[in-house]
Amino acid sequence: MTTPMHDGRQASTGRRRQRVQDAIATAVRDGTPLTASAIARAAGVDRTFLYRYRDLLQDVHLAGTQAVGRPQGSEPVVTSESLKADLANANARAARLASRVKHLEDHLSRQLGERAWRESGLAAAPDIAELQTTIEHLKQRNAELTQNLEERQAELDAARAANRDLTRALNQRG
């Protein structure tokens, strides 16, 4: 059994539901925000009306995920899916940048460490082969000079011996 009051409520609910549907269509067409608050405000209903009728709330969310159409020359419609994709891209880029920063910090640390090691004098000289060649050359030169010194010493000893012999011979004559 229906009463005029019941029929009036049903008619009012039907009109409000239609206003919500119209507000969703207008928001999609105009590219305005597709949130429960914005749609409720545009339809002239309370937000609780949308939450009471879950099918209307689902229509709002579904319209928010689909960029059905937009007027020419307007900005693209921002949907929750596009925002999620942007967030995922931003997170991936942040991870790549963090990895790159870590790589560069490690490289810089190695370079500074090697430089400090070299400047401290604790590291081996970079031209070890050249130094070893120089050492071998100096050893050969030292051996040659030692041999020359020994020859000169022998000549000096011989000259001293001859000088002693001559001095002795002169002293014996006189």
Side-chain angles (χ1 to χ4, degrees), residues 1-19:
M1 168 171 200
T2 61
T3 63
M5 189 171 176
H6 184 303
D7 293 340
R9 273 194 213 144
Q10 276 188 331
S12 173
T13 300
R15 286 190 302 272
R16 287 187 284 170
R17 288 178 64 85
Q18 186 58 46
R19 286 196 319 250

Side-chain angles (χ1 to χ4, degrees), residues 15-45 50 60 63:
R15 286 190 302 272
R16 287 187 284 170
R17 288 178 64 85
Q18 186 58 46
R19 286 196 319 250
V20 169
Q21 292 292 342
D22 292 343
I24 292 171
T26 302
V28 168
R29 186 182 65 246
D30 294 344
T32 57
L34 287 160
T35 63
S37 296
I39 296 301
R41 194 172 24 257
V45 297
L50 294 176
V60 170

Side-chain angles (χ1 to χ4, degrees), residues 166-174:
L166 286 174
T167 304
R168 212 177 290 137
L170 282 175
N171 285 340
Q172 289 175 355
R173 264 200 244 168

Side-chain angles (χ1 to χ4, degrees), residues 7-100:
D7 293 340
R9 273 194 213 144
Q10 276 188 331
S12 173
T13 300
R15 286 190 302 272
R16 287 187 284 170
R17 288 178 64 85
Q18 186 58 46
R19 286 196 319 250
V20 169
Q21 292 292 342
D22 292 343
I24 292 171
T26 302
V28 168
R29 186 182 65 246
D30 294 344
T32 57
L34 287 160
T35 63
S37 296
I39 296 301
R41 194 172 24 257
V45 297
D46 194 56
R47 274 186 327 181
T48 58
F49 183 79
L50 294 176
Y51 292 105
R52 191 175 317 127
Y53 296 98
R54 292 287 186 176
D55 61 320
L56 292 176
L57 186 61
Q58 189 175 14
D59 289 346
V60 170
H61 291 307
L62 182 62
T65 60
Q66 300 171 348
V68 175
R70 59 183 170 135
Q72 289 188 355
S74 70
E75 303 251 340
V77 175
V78 176
T79 64
S80 63
E81 296 302 317
S82 68
L83 292 175
K84 287 177 186 175
D86 288 346
L87 180 61
N89 288 337
N91 286 337
R93 185 170 193 276
R96 285 191 309 272
L97 289 174
S99 173
R100 179 71 176 149

Side-chain angles (χ1 to χ4, degrees), residues 124-153:
D127 52 353
I128 291 176
E130 182 182 331
L131 291 174
Q132 287 176 341
T133 304
T134 303
I135 289 170
E136 289 301 318
H137 174 70
L138 291 173
K139 282 182 180 178
Q140 289 174 357
R141 179 82 173 127
N142 191 20
E144 290 171 4
L145 290 174
T146 302
Q147 185 178 2
N148 285 343
L149 181 61
E150 288 174 357
E151 289 173 4
R152 301 285 186 267
Q153 189 66 38

